[in-house]
Amino acid sequence: MKLPGSLVAGALAGLVIGAGATAVVLTMRGGAPDASMAGPGGPGGGRGGFMPAVSMVAAEEASVGRTLDVIGEGRALKSVALTSEATGNVVEVNIAPGAKVSEGDVLLRLDERQQRIALERARAQYPIAKENAERYADLKETEAASALEAEAAYNEYKTIEADLRAAQYALQQRAIRAPFDGVIGLTEIEAGDYLRAGDQVTTLDDTSSIVVEFAIPQEAARAVEIGQKVTAGLASSGGGTHEGRVTAIDSRVNPETRTLKIEATFDNEDGAMLPGAVFAVSTTSKGEPAVSVPGLAIQWDRNGPYVWKRGEDGRAERADVSIIQRTDNIVLVRGAVEPGDMIVWEGSDRVRAGFPLPGDASQEDAREGAAAVGASGTGAAAGGGGD
Protein backbone atom coordinates (compact mmCIF):
# COMPACT_ATOMS: atom_id res chain seq x y z
CA MET A 1 0.00 0.00 0.00
CA LYS A 2 1.38 3.34 -0.90
CA LEU A 3 1.64 5.83 2.06
CA PRO A 4 0.68 9.47 1.62
CA GLY A 5 3.58 11.88 1.08
CA SER A 6 2.62 14.09 4.07
CA LEU A 7 2.67 11.15 6.44
CA VAL A 8 6.14 10.10 5.26
CA ALA A 9 7.46 13.67 5.64
CA GLY A 10 6.08 13.93 9.21
CA ALA A 11 7.68 10.63 10.24
CA LEU A 12 11.07 11.71 8.91
CA ALA A 13 10.87 15.03 10.77
CA GLY A 14 10.06 13.24 14.04
CA LEU A 15 13.03 10.91 13.62
CA VAL A 16 15.40 13.86 13.07
CA ILE A 17 14.17 15.77 16.17
CA GLY A 18 14.36 12.69 18.38
CA ALA A 19 17.89 11.88 17.20
CA GLY A 20 19.03 15.43 17.97
CA ALA A 21 17.60 15.39 21.48
CA THR A 22 19.20 12.04 22.20
CA ALA A 23 22.58 13.36 21.06
CA VAL A 24 22.34 16.37 23.38
CA VAL A 25 21.50 14.20 26.40
CA LEU A 26 24.32 11.77 25.65
CA THR A 27 26.76 14.65 25.24
CA MET A 28 25.82 16.18 28.64
CA ARG A 29 26.13 12.82 30.41
CA GLY A 30 29.39 11.98 28.77
CA GLY A 31 31.09 15.38 29.40
CA ALA A 32 33.10 16.21 32.50
CA PRO A 33 31.04 18.06 35.14
CA ASP A 34 31.75 21.79 35.58
CA ALA A 35 33.01 22.63 39.07
CA SER A 36 30.53 25.47 39.33
CA MET A 37 27.63 23.13 38.45
CA ALA A 38 28.45 20.34 40.90
CA GLY A 39 25.90 19.09 43.37
CA PRO A 40 25.93 19.67 47.16
CA GLY A 41 28.86 17.31 47.62
CA GLY A 42 30.88 18.66 44.70
CA PRO A 43 33.42 21.44 44.52
CA GLY A 44 30.85 24.16 43.90
CA GLY A 45 28.83 23.21 46.92
CA GLY A 46 25.87 25.46 46.09
CA ARG A 47 22.24 24.45 46.39
CA GLY A 48 21.07 23.20 43.02
CA GLY A 49 24.69 23.26 41.82
CA PHE A 50 25.35 27.02 42.24
CA MET A 51 27.44 28.97 44.78
CA PRO A 52 25.04 30.87 47.06
CA ALA A 53 24.99 34.70 46.81
CA VAL A 54 25.98 35.97 50.24
CA SER A 55 27.47 39.10 51.84
CA MET A 56 30.14 39.04 54.50
CA VAL A 57 30.81 41.24 57.51
CA ALA A 58 33.58 41.19 60.10
CA ALA A 59 32.57 40.34 63.66
CA GLU A 60 33.59 43.21 65.93
CA GLU A 61 34.74 43.44 69.50
CA ALA A 62 32.05 44.61 71.92
CA SER A 63 31.15 44.46 75.59
CA VAL A 64 28.07 43.38 77.51
CA GLY A 65 27.13 46.26 79.75
CA ARG A 66 24.17 47.09 81.93
CA THR A 67 21.90 49.70 80.37
CA LEU A 68 20.11 52.14 82.65
CA ASP A 69 17.14 54.16 81.39
CA VAL A 70 16.03 56.87 83.81
CA ILE A 71 14.61 60.39 83.90
CA GLY A 72 16.83 63.38 84.66
CA GLU A 73 16.51 67.14 84.99
CA GLY A 74 18.81 69.62 83.30
CA ARG A 75 20.43 72.67 84.80
CA ALA A 76 22.92 75.20 83.53
CA LEU A 77 26.63 74.66 84.13
CA LYS A 78 26.56 77.84 86.22
CA SER A 79 23.40 79.58 87.38
CA VAL A 80 22.85 82.51 89.72
CA ALA A 81 20.02 84.77 90.89
CA LEU A 82 21.33 88.35 90.84
CA THR A 83 20.26 90.46 93.81
CA SER A 84 20.89 94.04 94.82
CA GLU A 85 23.50 94.64 97.51
CA ALA A 86 22.38 98.22 98.08
CA THR A 87 19.23 100.31 98.44
CA GLY A 88 18.28 103.11 96.10
CA ASN A 89 16.57 104.27 92.92
CA VAL A 90 17.25 102.50 89.63
CA VAL A 91 18.72 104.83 87.03
CA GLU A 92 19.88 102.36 84.34
CA VAL A 93 18.64 98.92 83.19
CA ASN A 94 20.58 96.97 80.54
CA ILE A 95 18.70 93.68 80.75
CA ALA A 96 17.38 92.09 77.54
CA PRO A 97 15.86 88.71 78.50
CA GLY A 98 17.44 85.87 76.54
CA ALA A 99 20.44 87.95 75.46
CA LYS A 100 24.02 86.80 75.95
CA VAL A 101 26.18 88.95 78.24
CA SER A 102 29.87 88.89 79.07
CA GLU A 103 31.53 88.87 82.46
CA GLY A 104 31.68 92.40 83.89
CA ASP A 105 28.83 93.86 81.81
CA VAL A 106 26.69 96.34 83.78
CA LEU A 107 23.14 95.00 83.95
CA LEU A 108 21.62 97.53 86.35
CA ARG A 109 22.80 100.72 88.04
CA LEU A 110 21.42 102.56 91.10
CA ASP A 111 21.68 106.26 91.83
CA GLU A 112 25.29 106.70 92.93
CA ARG A 113 25.68 110.46 93.41
CA GLN A 114 26.07 110.27 97.18
CA GLN A 115 28.67 107.52 96.93
CA ARG A 116 30.68 109.49 94.38
CA ILE A 117 30.76 112.50 96.71
CA ALA A 118 32.06 110.32 99.54
CA LEU A 119 34.69 108.84 97.22
CA GLU A 120 35.89 112.26 96.09
CA ARG A 121 36.18 113.41 99.71
CA ALA A 122 38.22 110.36 100.65
CA ARG A 123 40.47 110.81 97.62
CA ALA A 124 41.12 114.43 98.57
CA GLN A 125 42.00 113.59 102.17
CA TYR A 126 44.13 110.55 101.44
CA PRO A 127 47.31 112.19 100.04
CA ILE A 128 47.31 114.83 102.81
CA ALA A 129 46.99 112.20 105.53
CA LYS A 130 49.72 110.07 103.93
CA GLU A 131 52.14 113.00 103.63
CA ASN A 132 51.40 114.06 107.22
CA ALA A 133 52.12 110.57 108.52
CA GLU A 134 55.42 110.41 106.64
CA ARG A 135 56.46 113.89 107.90
CA TYR A 136 55.77 113.04 111.54
CA ALA A 137 57.69 109.79 111.11
CA ASP A 138 60.72 111.77 109.94
CA LEU A 139 60.34 114.29 112.79
CA LYS A 140 60.23 111.44 115.27
CA GLU A 141 63.59 110.19 114.00
CA THR A 142 65.15 113.59 114.73
CA GLU A 143 63.24 113.91 118.00
CA ALA A 144 61.48 117.00 116.64
CA ALA A 145 58.13 115.30 117.28
CA SER A 146 57.05 112.88 119.93
CA ALA A 147 56.21 109.24 119.31
CA LEU A 148 52.63 109.97 120.31
CA GLU A 149 52.26 112.64 117.62
CA ALA A 150 53.75 110.36 114.97
CA GLU A 151 51.46 107.53 115.97
CA ALA A 152 48.38 109.80 115.83
CA ALA A 153 49.31 111.00 112.33
CA TYR A 154 49.82 107.41 111.16
CA ASN A 155 46.46 106.31 112.60
CA GLU A 156 44.69 109.19 110.86
CA TYR A 157 46.33 108.19 107.58
CA LYS A 158 45.20 104.55 107.93
CA THR A 159 41.64 105.67 108.82
CA ILE A 160 41.36 107.83 105.72
CA GLU A 161 42.82 104.99 103.66
CA ALA A 162 40.06 102.70 104.97
CA ASP A 163 37.46 105.40 104.22
CA LEU A 164 38.74 105.52 100.64
CA ARG A 165 38.36 101.76 100.20
CA ALA A 166 34.89 101.86 101.78
CA ALA A 167 33.82 104.66 99.41
CA GLN A 168 35.09 102.67 96.42
CA TYR A 169 33.22 99.55 97.56
CA ALA A 170 30.00 101.47 98.20
CA LEU A 171 30.20 102.89 94.68
CA GLN A 172 30.74 99.41 93.22
CA GLN A 173 27.62 98.13 95.01
CA ARG A 174 25.51 100.61 93.07
CA ALA A 175 26.08 98.62 89.86
CA ILE A 176 25.04 94.99 89.28
CA ARG A 177 27.43 93.29 86.88
CA ALA A 178 27.43 89.90 85.19
CA PRO A 179 29.68 87.58 87.24
CA PHE A 180 30.32 85.30 84.23
CA ASP A 181 29.42 84.87 80.56
CA GLY A 182 25.87 83.64 80.15
CA VAL A 183 22.28 84.23 79.12
CA ILE A 184 20.24 86.79 81.02
CA GLY A 185 16.78 85.96 82.33
CA LEU A 186 13.55 87.89 82.78
CA THR A 187 13.13 90.99 84.93
CA GLU A 188 10.29 93.29 85.94
CA ILE A 189 12.51 96.14 87.09
CA GLU A 190 12.57 99.41 85.18
CA ALA A 191 14.39 102.70 85.54
CA GLY A 192 12.83 104.69 88.40
CA ASP A 193 11.99 101.65 90.54
CA TYR A 194 13.17 101.61 94.15
CA LEU A 195 15.28 98.60 95.12
CA ARG A 196 16.10 97.37 98.59
CA ALA A 197 19.16 95.38 99.49
CA GLY A 198 18.39 91.72 98.86
CA ASP A 199 15.77 92.24 96.15
CA GLN A 200 16.21 89.86 93.18
CA VAL A 201 16.93 91.58 89.90
CA THR A 202 17.17 88.76 87.37
CA THR A 203 18.85 85.42 86.72
CA LEU A 204 21.97 84.51 84.77
CA ASP A 205 22.72 81.05 83.31
CA ASP A 206 25.83 79.73 81.63
CA THR A 207 24.18 77.42 79.08
CA SER A 208 27.35 76.58 77.15
CA SER A 209 27.05 73.24 78.92
CA ILE A 210 24.06 71.55 80.52
CA VAL A 211 24.34 69.32 83.56
CA VAL A 212 21.66 66.62 83.72
CA GLU A 213 21.04 65.23 87.19
CA PHE A 214 19.52 61.77 87.54
CA ALA A 215 19.33 59.00 90.13
CA ILE A 216 19.98 55.28 89.75
CA PRO A 217 19.07 52.38 92.06
CA GLN A 218 21.70 51.57 94.66
CA GLU A 219 22.06 48.10 93.11
CA ALA A 220 23.34 49.72 89.90
CA ALA A 221 26.00 51.86 91.57
CA ARG A 222 28.84 49.85 90.03
CA ALA A 223 27.36 50.22 86.54
CA VAL A 224 28.30 53.92 86.35
CA GLU A 225 31.75 55.50 86.42
CA ILE A 226 33.30 58.89 85.70
CA GLY A 227 33.66 59.54 81.96
CA GLN A 228 30.99 57.02 80.96
CA LYS A 229 28.95 57.91 77.88
CA VAL A 230 25.40 59.17 78.49
CA THR A 231 22.66 60.03 75.99
CA ALA A 232 19.74 62.32 76.76
CA GLY A 233 16.66 63.43 74.85
CA LEU A 234 13.55 65.37 75.76
CA ALA A 235 11.28 62.95 77.57
CA SER A 236 8.12 64.55 76.18
CA SER A 237 9.02 64.50 72.48
CA GLY A 238 10.63 62.40 69.79
CA GLY A 239 13.45 64.87 69.15
CA GLY A 240 17.09 64.05 68.70
CA THR A 241 19.39 62.88 71.45
CA HIS A 242 22.49 64.51 72.87
CA GLU A 243 25.69 62.81 73.98
CA GLY A 244 27.52 63.64 77.18
CA ARG A 245 29.72 62.13 79.87
CA VAL A 246 29.32 61.33 83.55
CA THR A 247 31.16 64.06 85.46
CA ALA A 248 30.09 63.54 89.08
CA ILE A 249 28.87 60.69 91.27
CA ASP A 250 27.51 61.29 94.75
CA SER A 251 29.51 59.86 97.64
CA ARG A 252 26.50 58.32 99.38
CA VAL A 253 23.14 56.70 98.70
CA ASN A 254 20.02 58.65 99.60
CA PRO A 255 18.67 56.80 102.67
CA GLU A 256 15.07 57.69 101.86
CA THR A 257 14.94 56.72 98.17
CA ARG A 258 17.85 54.23 98.14
CA THR A 259 19.17 55.87 94.99
CA LEU A 260 22.52 57.31 93.99
CA LYS A 261 22.71 60.78 92.43
CA ILE A 262 24.64 61.12 89.16
CA GLU A 263 25.56 64.20 87.10
CA ALA A 264 26.33 64.13 83.37
CA THR A 265 27.58 67.15 81.41
CA PHE A 266 26.53 67.87 77.81
CA ASP A 267 28.00 70.38 75.39
CA ASN A 268 25.31 72.92 74.51
CA GLU A 269 26.94 75.51 72.28
CA ASP A 270 23.93 75.29 69.91
CA GLY A 271 21.52 76.02 72.77
CA ALA A 272 19.32 73.00 71.98
CA MET A 273 19.12 71.93 75.64
CA LEU A 274 17.38 74.21 78.14
CA PRO A 275 17.93 74.36 81.90
CA GLY A 276 15.01 72.92 83.87
CA ALA A 277 13.90 70.56 81.09
CA VAL A 278 13.20 66.88 81.80
CA PHE A 279 15.27 64.40 79.80
CA ALA A 280 15.12 60.67 79.12
CA VAL A 281 18.61 59.51 80.08
CA SER A 282 20.31 56.29 79.00
CA THR A 283 23.76 54.96 79.82
CA THR A 284 25.47 51.59 79.42
CA SER A 285 28.39 50.31 81.45
CA LYS A 286 31.42 48.73 79.80
CA GLY A 287 30.69 45.23 81.09
CA GLU A 288 32.27 41.95 80.00
CA PRO A 289 33.82 41.37 76.54
CA ALA A 290 31.63 39.96 73.76
CA VAL A 291 31.41 39.84 69.95
CA SER A 292 29.08 42.04 67.89
CA VAL A 293 27.37 40.65 64.74
CA PRO A 294 24.39 41.87 62.66
CA GLY A 295 21.05 40.50 63.76
CA LEU A 296 20.40 38.97 60.33
CA ALA A 297 23.50 36.78 60.70
CA ILE A 298 21.89 34.75 63.49
CA GLN A 299 20.38 31.41 62.41
CA TRP A 300 18.40 28.93 64.50
CA ASP A 301 17.81 25.21 64.59
CA ARG A 302 16.91 22.64 67.22
CA ASN A 303 20.36 23.02 68.80
CA GLY A 304 20.03 26.79 69.24
CA PRO A 305 21.48 29.89 67.59
CA TYR A 306 24.51 29.86 65.32
CA VAL A 307 26.23 31.84 62.56
CA TRP A 308 28.09 30.89 59.39
CA LYS A 309 31.70 32.01 59.37
CA ARG A 310 34.43 31.69 56.77
CA GLY A 311 36.99 29.07 57.79
CA GLU A 312 40.67 29.03 57.00
CA ASP A 313 40.00 27.04 53.83
CA GLY A 314 37.50 29.64 52.63
CA ARG A 315 34.47 27.42 53.25
CA ALA A 316 31.47 27.88 55.48
CA GLU A 317 31.75 26.68 59.05
CA ARG A 318 28.95 26.57 61.58
CA ALA A 319 29.75 28.50 64.75
CA ASP A 320 27.42 27.94 67.68
CA VAL A 321 26.81 31.05 69.77
CA SER A 322 24.78 32.21 72.74
CA ILE A 323 22.95 35.52 72.52
CA ILE A 324 23.87 37.89 75.34
CA GLN A 325 22.22 41.15 74.39
CA ARG A 326 20.36 42.84 71.54
CA THR A 327 20.76 46.52 70.69
CA ASP A 328 18.69 47.67 67.71
CA ASN A 329 20.12 45.80 64.68
CA ILE A 330 23.16 44.40 66.46
CA VAL A 331 23.39 41.22 68.50
CA LEU A 332 26.08 40.63 71.12
CA VAL A 333 27.12 36.97 71.31
CA ARG A 334 29.64 34.61 72.86
CA GLY A 335 30.78 31.31 71.42
CA ALA A 336 32.86 30.02 68.53
CA VAL A 337 33.25 33.49 67.00
CA GLU A 338 36.15 35.88 67.52
CA PRO A 339 36.49 39.57 66.60
CA GLY A 340 37.67 39.78 62.99
CA ASP A 341 36.01 36.53 61.82
CA MET A 342 34.16 36.98 58.52
CA ILE A 343 30.47 36.28 59.12
CA VAL A 344 27.68 35.73 56.60
CA TRP A 345 25.11 38.43 57.31
CA GLU A 346 23.04 38.35 54.10
CA GLY A 347 22.02 35.07 52.49
CA SER A 348 22.67 32.95 55.61
CA ASP A 349 19.64 30.76 54.89
CA ARG A 350 21.24 29.64 51.60
CA VAL A 351 24.52 28.50 53.14
CA ARG A 352 25.45 24.96 54.14
CA ALA A 353 28.58 23.56 55.78
CA GLY A 354 31.46 23.36 53.32
CA PHE A 355 30.08 25.90 50.87
CA PRO A 356 32.79 28.25 49.49
CA LEU A 357 32.39 31.83 50.73
CA PRO A 358 33.62 35.12 49.25
CA GLY A 359 37.01 36.49 50.22
CA ASP A 360 37.64 38.87 53.09
CA ALA A 361 35.82 42.19 52.89
CA SER A 362 37.32 45.39 54.17
CA GLN A 363 36.19 46.69 57.54
CA GLU A 364 34.72 49.75 55.83
CA ASP A 365 32.67 47.65 53.41
CA ALA A 366 31.52 45.46 56.26
CA ARG A 367 30.30 48.40 58.29
CA GLU A 368 28.53 49.88 55.26
CA GLY A 369 26.81 46.55 54.67
CA ALA A 370 25.68 46.29 58.27
CA ALA A 371 24.42 49.88 58.12
CA ALA A 372 22.44 49.07 54.98
CA VAL A 373 20.78 46.17 56.75
CA GLY A 374 19.85 48.40 59.69
CA ALA A 375 18.45 51.09 57.38
CA SER A 376 16.20 48.59 55.62
CA GLY A 377 14.86 47.32 58.93
CA THR A 378 15.80 43.70 58.26
CA GLY A 379 18.59 43.60 60.80
CA ALA A 380 16.19 43.81 63.71
CA ALA A 381 14.95 40.30 63.04
CA ALA A 382 17.81 38.34 64.49
CA GLY A 383 16.36 34.92 63.79
CA GLY A 384 16.67 34.17 60.08
CA GLY A 385 15.59 30.95 58.48
CA GLY A 386 17.69 28.14 59.93
CA ASP A 387 17.78 24.48 59.07
Side-chain angles (χ1 to χ4, degrees):
M1 183 179 64
K2 186 177 181 180
L3 296 175
S6 59
L7 182 59
V8 174
L12 292 175
L15 290 173
V16 172
I17 294 174
T22 302
V24 171
V25 172
L26 291 176
T27 301
M28 292 183 63
R29 289 183 178 179
D34 188 355
S36 64
M37 298 292 292
R47 179 179 295 176
F50 292 93
M51 178 185 293
V54 297
S55 297
M56 309 294 291
V57 66
E60 296 186 354
E61 184 177 0
S63 61
V64 181
R66 179 173 180 177
T67 299
L68 300 172
D69 296 312
V70 295
I71 297 297
E73 182 176 350
R75 63 173 175 82
L77 181 63
K78 290 187 286 186
S79 181
V80 65
L82 299 176
T83 59
S84 176
E85 297 181 5
T87 299
N89 292 319
V90 178
V91 296
E92 181 182 346
V93 178
N94 300 316
I95 299 175
K100 292 184 177 181
V101 297
S102 300
E103 179 181 353
D105 287 352
V106 176
L107 306 178
L108 182 143
R109 194 183 299 276
L110 299 176
D111 184 4
E112 56 189 27
R113 289 174 293 180
Q114 182 177 350
Q115 286 70 30
R116 287 194 175 278
I117 292 173
L119 179 60
E120 291 174 2
R121 181 185 296 112
R123 284 176 175 173
Q125 295 174 345
Y126 177 77
I128 297 175
K130 181 179 180 181
E131 182 180 355
N132 210 23
E134 293 173 349
R135 183 165 59 86
Y136 269 95
D138 293 338
L139 292 174
K140 176 186 173 184
E141 293 296 330
T142 60
E143 298 183 353
S146 65
L148 183 61
E149 291 174 322
E151 183 177 352
Y154 178 78
N155 289 339
E156 183 179 2
Y157 157 64
K158 298 305 290 184
T159 299
I160 294 177
E161 184 181 49
D163 291 342
L164 176 61
R165 291 200 300 268
Q168 292 172 335
Y169 180 70
L171 182 62
Q172 292 175 358
Q173 286 183 308
R174 312 303 287 182
I176 298 178
R177 299 176 182 271
F180 50 80
D181 297 350
V183 178
I184 202 70
L186 297 172
T187 185
E188 297 180 354
I189 297 176
E190 298 178 357
D193 287 342
Y194 185 79
L195 280 184
R196 294 179 175 83
D199 288 349
Q200 181 171 323
V201 176
T202 186
T203 58
L204 181 65
D205 296 303
D206 179 3
T207 58
S208 60
S209 296
I210 294 294
V211 177
V212 177
E213 300 177 353
F214 58 95
I216 62 173
Q218 61 181 5
E219 296 80 6
R222 293 187 177 181
V224 179
E225 60 183 16
I226 298 295
Q228 185 169 310
K229 177 183 174 182
V230 180
T231 59
L234 290 176
S236 59
S237 70
T241 59
H242 308 271
E243 182 176 316
R245 300 286 175 180
V246 174
T247 51
I249 301 176
D250 202 354
S251 60
R252 61 180 64 184
V253 172
N254 187 317
E256 297 180 356
T257 62
R258 300 300 176 187
T259 58
L260 183 66
K261 184 178 177 181
I262 309 293
E263 292 183 355
T265 303
F266 297 77
D267 181 74
N268 192 44
E269 292 296 339
D270 58 357
M273 302 177 73
L274 295 177
V278 176
F279 297 92
V281 180
S282 180
T283 183
T284 303
S285 61
K286 290 183 178 179
E288 300 178 359
V291 177
S292 172
V293 299
L296 195 62
I298 302 295
Q299 299 293 294
W300 292 83
D301 64 9
R302 63 175 67 104
N303 296 321
Y306 65 94
V307 298
W308 292 111
K309 72 176 183 178
R310 188 174 186 271
E312 294 181 358
D313 60 355
R315 295 182 178 275
E317 293 181 3
R318 173 183 172 130
D320 293 327
V321 296
S322 58
I323 296 177
I324 306 302
Q325 186 176 347
R326 297 175 185 267
T327 58
D328 295 334
N329 303 312
I330 299 299
V331 180
L332 303 184
V333 300
R334 292 196 188 102
V337 179
E338 299 293 336
D341 287 348
M342 299 307 298
I343 304 298
V344 177
W345 67 270
E346 187 177 64
S348 300
D349 56 337
R350 297 190 290 271
V351 177
R352 297 294 180 270
F355 280 12
L357 295 177
D360 293 349
S362 66
Q363 289 289 343
E364 183 177 356
D365 293 339
R367 292 192 182 94
E368 291 177 355
V373 172
S376 64
T378 58
D387 288 340

